[in-house]
Amino acid sequence: YDAQTGFFGNPVFANTTLLQPRAFHQAVALTDGRVVFMGGIGSTSPEALSTTEIFDPTTNIIQAGPPMAAPRAEFTATPISNQPNSFLLVGGTGQASASWEVWTPNGVVRADTLKQARRHHTASSVPHLGKIFVMGGENDTSILNNFEIFNGLTLSFDLTAYPIPATASRTMHSAAYIDSRRFIYLIGGFSDREHTTLTPQIDVVSVDACNPTSCNAFIGPNSFRLATPRAGHATVPLDDNRVLISGGVTLNGGTASALSSNEVIFETL
């Protein structure tokens, strides 16, 4: 998508093969331009992978990277803003659902447990605070009505999980951090673990409202809504505070269908 013209194009990519098949994995960029592929589910087993691969675009070669601390798929991998080439990996499916780790190209430097297992959550980097907000999602028993904050300076989570209002709890949503306004959009998603009820709501979270003991971050009441309720979509913040929301699934008469539509929002607070 070209933000200058508003049009989509068809890029051409090099034909490079991964060392092993993987789906529901993550990809992150290193400061030298290399790309790391992490975890996911392989082709021969439903179990998650703990392996990583590093692709060098200057040579078009992929090599094995250091393994993760635990096998995980459907997790988040977020750059730690004050720690170059360090990434916070959180939750997912399988054995790692209640864990987190800090992965680097030299190996894992720290790993521990979350307050609650979670998947289909979001993890938003807030560079001016050096923190990452891990919000919502689900586990095997419920939609999660809380979020946790990771501190990149101490490489640890706050001691408490902070509440999400009942009307804002969600899974398979997206999130976008708007640096100029110091808030995070929580966008769409499902409001139930059975994935039968979509929320059209876009909630606004003030990141500066949080300290290590309390966090009343949700700005409301909020009447901000998607034009088309959706979950499993992609969200990309653009340079001028616009946010591109693309695809996902919606429900028509209880039947899920993939979307080809896009929406663009602009912060108005």
Side-chain angles (χ1 to χ4, degrees):
Y1 175 76
D2 189 329
Q4 300 298 318
T5 65
F7 291 102
F8 284 83
N10 295 310
V12 177
F13 297 97
N15 183 18
T16 302
T17 302
L18 293 169
L19 299 180
Q20 63 184 124
R22 59 184 75 225
F24 306 111
H25 55 293
Q26 285 287 354
V28 296
L30 301 178
T31 55
D32 62 5
R34 292 180 298 163
V35 178
V36 184
F37 301 99
M38 302 173 163
I41 295 174
S43 63
T44 59
S45 170
E47 298 299 323
L49 302 170
S50 62
T51 57
T52 71
E53 307 177 25
I54 301 177
F55 169 64
D56 187 338
T58 64
T59 62
N60 213 35
I61 292 175
I62 290 184
Q63 296 180 318
M68 301 183 297
R72 61 181 80 232
E74 297 181 308
F75 60 103
T76 52
T78 310
I80 301 173
S81 59
N82 52 2
Q83 303 280 346
N85 288 335
S86 296
F87 303 89
L88 175 66
L89 314 185
V90 175
T93 56
Q95 302 174 24
S97 62
S99 73
W100 62 269
E101 61 185 277
V102 175
W103 184 96
T104 76
N106 296 318
V108 174
V109 298
R110 184 165 294 185
D112 209 333
T113 57
L114 296 164
K115 303 294 184 297
Q116 287 182 279
R118 65 180 74 217
R119 61 181 179 268
H120 301 318
H121 53 281
T122 55
S124 302
S125 176
V126 180
H128 80 282
L129 296 178
K131 296 182 178 182
I132 296 172
F133 284 60
V134 178
M135 311 197 76
E138 64 183 271
N139 57 31
D140 290 340
T141 60
S142 64
I143 293 289
L144 298 177
N145 60 356
N146 60 53
F147 63 98
E148 301 187 42
I149 299 177
F150 178 83
N151 189 324
L153 294 175
T154 61
L155 297 184
S156 63
F157 274 89
D158 287 358
L159 295 178
T160 185
Y162 305 104
I164 292 177
T167 56
S169 298
R170 66 191 71 203
T171 184
M172 296 182 68
H173 55 290
S174 67
Y177 173 61
I178 306 300
D179 183 66
S180 64
R181 295 304 297 269
R182 303 291 199 256
F183 62 58
I184 297 170
Y185 284 130
L186 288 186
I187 303 168
F190 289 105
S191 59
D192 64 325
R193 196 172 65 85
E194 294 73 30
H195 305 158
T196 60
T197 304
L198 286 166
T199 176
Q201 192 164 309
I202 301 172
D203 284 288
V204 181
V205 181
S206 173
V207 299
D208 288 331
C210 297
N211 60 57
T213 59
S214 66
C215 187
N216 297 311
F218 280 77
I219 300 173
N222 182 23
S223 59
F224 202 11
R225 299 287 188 272
L226 288 165
T228 302
R230 63 185 74 209
H233 48 282
T235 296
V236 181
L238 305 177
D239 290 340
D240 56 0
N241 291 349
R242 289 181 299 162
V243 177
L244 174 67
I245 304 164
S246 180
V249 297
T250 194
L251 297 176
N252 294 303
T255 301
S257 58
L259 290 166
S260 61
S261 64
N262 304 289
E263 303 184 38
V264 176
I265 60 177
F266 191 90
E267 61 94 2
T268 57
L269 295 179

